[in-house]
Amino acid sequence: MPTDKENSDANQMWGGRFSSRPDHIMEEINASIGFDQRLAAQDVAGSKAHARMLAAVDVISDADADAICQGLDQVLGEIQRGEFEFSRALEDIHMNVEARLKALIGEPAGRLHTARSRNDQVATDFRLWLRQRLDEQLAQTDALIGALLDQAEAGADIVMPGFTHLQSAQPVVWGHHMLAYVEMFGRDRGRLEDARKRLNECPLGAAALAGTSFPIDRDATAAALGFDRPTANSIDSVSARDFALEYLSAATIMATHLSRLAEEIVIWCSAQFRFVTISDAFSTGSSIMPQKRNPDAAELMRAKVGRIMGALVGLATVMKGLPLAYSKDMQEDKERVFDAADALSLCLAAAAGVVADLSPNAERLAESAGAGFSTATDLADWLVRELGLPFRDAHHVTGSLVRAAEEKGVGLEGLSLPEMQAVHDKIDERVFSVLGVENSVKSRISYGGTAPDQVRAQIKRWRAARS
């Protein structure tokens, strides 16, 4: 239960309207300090910028601003060292910090909250926190892209099967497959950058919802906190959480890409595929089956999308019916974003580690690349290119040749020239030049194709863009 001092502090923070503390059930549902203490550094930074601005426009004295800033530094130090005692009776990080500041410096602490509200304060803190996480995740995305590019470069000549419907379709090279994920995560990076750009406006000074009558300088606080500009509408400043929704949307899309990569790794590691191996660093064993090497890191990456997507749906549901401006419902924003950001950061780190750790089995990949008549499209293209057949006719001829090969129990290259000519008499010995998987991938020279030279060109483009 709260102490008498905590009750007294809480009543003072609430103001003279209240004569007794809230019921314990109200306190339980209302308190956010259990999770918003993660905003401590951002809260102190915003308060220091606000205090310095108030002194600069002569709303408070320089001496009070100095005392406030020094006291806030002491409060943050206590929090960072684990010496700070958080109080649920004081509800949130803002009131906890302010109460401790008052205990340290006395009367000047009461001047800090001039010309601001917890509404604009939390909106500012939340943007500062999310901006920092975005910067970290942009760097993590770069690391993942770098690991994929390294794999692509090392495997630019390794032939593997390309799939549609998880059925063998056409041969590609390992490097080309890795570059597909490079493109995906490159777009994800762009979405994170866009989210950062739009959130980088400062709500501080919007106060509760209508602005303030004090002659504050919102450009100064925005600049001091690294924002591009102050927000332009005080109602929007405190009621908007679309910056969090945009982040969660971008995070969800990225998480689906991470999950697809993880799913392929799980499949590739299986005894049925044997396309890749991963080391002990990213595998676990079984408590009962000694032969098992489980790709648990990839499996957990695959699962985390549920948490991240759930956060997006949860926050969108919270926000969908709220009238302007601030409502206490919006307290439900932070836990979801905190959890999703933690999950995404962990997945990005795991993905970069697993990708760097992958060892493709070139022999097995090449063997599988030729299975399932994967050069059938090359044969059809050859019939169009060399014999002048309309593609639909070539498609029909190739289908007949595939059926003949199936009946004989061989690949297309296992049919003799007379057997092929029995289907179409114009086929000649040149056809065999397109039936090998190496020849197939080398022929895919269109921009963005799987030809090794095209793969190396794309790797060069990406490395130049990152330098």
Side-chain angles (χ1 to χ4, degrees):
M1 294 294 292
T3 65
D4 290 341
K5 181 180 184 304
E6 287 175 333
N7 291 338
S8 175
D9 287 343
N11 290 338
Q12 288 182 38
M13 302 300 282
W14 278 98
R17 173 67 177 82
F18 294 85
S19 59
S20 63
R21 71 175 183 86
D23 184 85
H24 74 280
I25 295 175
M26 177 61 190
E27 183 180 296
E28 185 67 24
I29 197 172
N30 195 47
S32 60
I33 190 59
F35 53 85
D36 69 14
Q37 61 186 262
R38 292 183 70 165
L39 300 176
Q42 291 76 25
D43 194 69
V44 167
S47 292
K48 289 174 68 175
H50 186 67
R52 291 298 183 196
M53 180 276 295
L54 291 177
V57 298
D58 297 324
V59 171
I60 66 174
S61 69
D62 288 337
D64 281 349
D66 289 342
I68 289 169
C69 290
Q70 290 170 15
L72 287 168
D73 285 339
Q74 184 173 341
V75 172
L76 183 59
E78 291 175 0
I79 293 172
Q80 291 174 335
R81 292 190 299 272
E83 300 169 357
F84 191 95
E85 294 186 14
F86 292 101
S87 165
R88 288 185 65 79
L90 293 173
E91 296 182 24
D92 57 33
I93 186 61
H94 322 298
M95 293 173 72
N96 270 265
V97 168
E98 191 172 332
R100 179 57 180 154
L101 181 65
K102 182 179 179 181
L104 290 171
I105 69 171
E107 182 180 343
R111 298 190 172 93
L112 172 60
H113 210 53
T114 307
R116 76 173 184 185
S117 162
R118 283 189 294 173
N119 294 354
D120 62 334
Q121 192 177 355
V122 69
T124 303
D125 293 355
F126 198 14
R127 289 180 187 236
L128 286 170
W129 185 91
L130 187 52
R131 187 180 70 188
Q132 180 180 338
R133 292 308 296 268
L134 277 164
D135 289 341
E136 293 167 359
Q137 289 175 356
L138 285 166
Q140 288 185 296
T141 306
D142 286 339
L144 174 55
I145 289 172
L148 288 162
L149 287 172
D150 290 343
Q151 281 283 355
E153 192 161 31
D157 293 301
I158 296 176
V159 180
M160 67 174 289
F163 296 96
T164 61
H165 309 279
L166 202 56
Q167 309 273 335
S168 291
Q170 292 177 268
V172 296
V173 295
W174 175 262
H176 193 55
H177 200 100
M178 294 295 103
L179 285 176
Y181 284 109
V182 170
E183 294 292 333
M184 291 183 196
F185 292 120
R187 292 191 296 274
D188 289 329
R189 193 188 195 288
R191 278 182 280 269
L192 294 181
E193 287 179 323
D194 288 345
R196 189 195 191 284
K197 180 179 179 180
R198 269 183 284 278
L199 76 76
N200 204 36
E201 296 182 350
C202 184
L204 195 59
L209 78 158
T212 178
S213 59
F214 290 94
I216 62 173
D217 185 350
R218 294 191 62 210
D219 288 299
T221 48
L225 294 170
F227 288 104
D228 294 331
R229 63 191 67 84
T231 51
N233 182 282
S234 59
I235 295 176
D236 177 61
S237 300
V238 300
S239 59
R241 290 298 184 270
D242 54 347
F243 66 90
L245 286 168
E246 183 172 13
Y247 167 71
L248 291 175
S249 298
T252 296
I253 296 171
M254 177 177 274
T256 62
H257 291 156
L258 287 164
S259 182
R260 295 181 76 179
L261 172 62
E263 169 73 1
E264 293 208 306
I265 291 170
V266 171
I267 292 171
W268 292 345
C269 286
S270 68
Q272 289 72 27
F273 274 74
R274 295 182 289 111
F275 282 3
V276 300
T277 57
I278 55 177
S279 74
D280 294 348
F282 292 98
S283 304
T284 64
S286 166
S287 62
I288 192 172
M289 295 172 285
Q291 83 280 10
K292 294 296 292 296
R293 179 192 291 272
N294 300 321
D296 283 2
E299 291 174 14
L300 290 167
M301 283 165 49
R302 185 176 58 186
K304 295 291 185 185
V305 66
R307 301 176 73 104
I308 298 168
M309 186 181 296
L312 171 61
V313 174
L315 183 54
T317 304
V318 167
M319 296 301 299
K320 71 174 181 61
L322 296 186
L324 301 181
Y326 182 83
S327 296
K328 194 69 171 182
D329 312 51
M330 292 160 66
Q331 185 169 289
E332 291 293 309
D333 57 0
K334 286 171 284 298
E335 282 186 285
R336 290 173 168 82
V337 173
F338 290 162
D339 185 71
D342 290 347
L344 184 61
S345 290
L346 184 58
C347 286
L348 284 168
V354 171
V355 168
D357 191 65
L358 288 178
S359 296
N361 183 344
E363 182 177 346
R364 173 63 179 161
L365 287 166
E367 175 189 344
S368 297
F373 306 101
S374 64
T375 58
T377 305
D378 298 277
L379 174 55
D381 288 347
W382 183 87
L383 292 170
V384 171
R385 188 174 57 250
E386 300 298 331
L387 303 186
L389 270 65
F391 183 79
R392 286 302 171 198
D393 292 347
H395 188 283
H396 179 77
V397 169
T398 302
S400 298
L401 290 169
V402 167
R403 184 172 64 252
E406 280 183 320
E407 291 172 353
K408 189 177 178 182
V410 298
L412 285 169
E413 68 280 4
L415 292 174
S416 67
L417 184 57
E419 287 170 326
M420 291 188 183
Q421 289 173 336
V423 175
H424 194 284
D425 61 0
K426 300 296 184 185
I427 295 175
D428 59 48
E429 67 278 355
R430 293 174 300 163
V431 73
F432 292 101
S433 67
V434 300
L435 296 182
V437 291
E438 288 80 7
N439 290 330
S440 173
V441 296
K442 288 177 182 178
S443 72
R444 303 295 171 178
I445 58 174
S446 59
Y447 180 81
T450 193
D453 287 346
Q454 279 294 321
V455 169
R456 291 188 178 92
Q458 293 296 332
I459 294 168
K460 183 178 179 180
R461 176 180 68 84
W462 268 99
R463 294 213 187 276
R466 286 160 49 83
S467 61

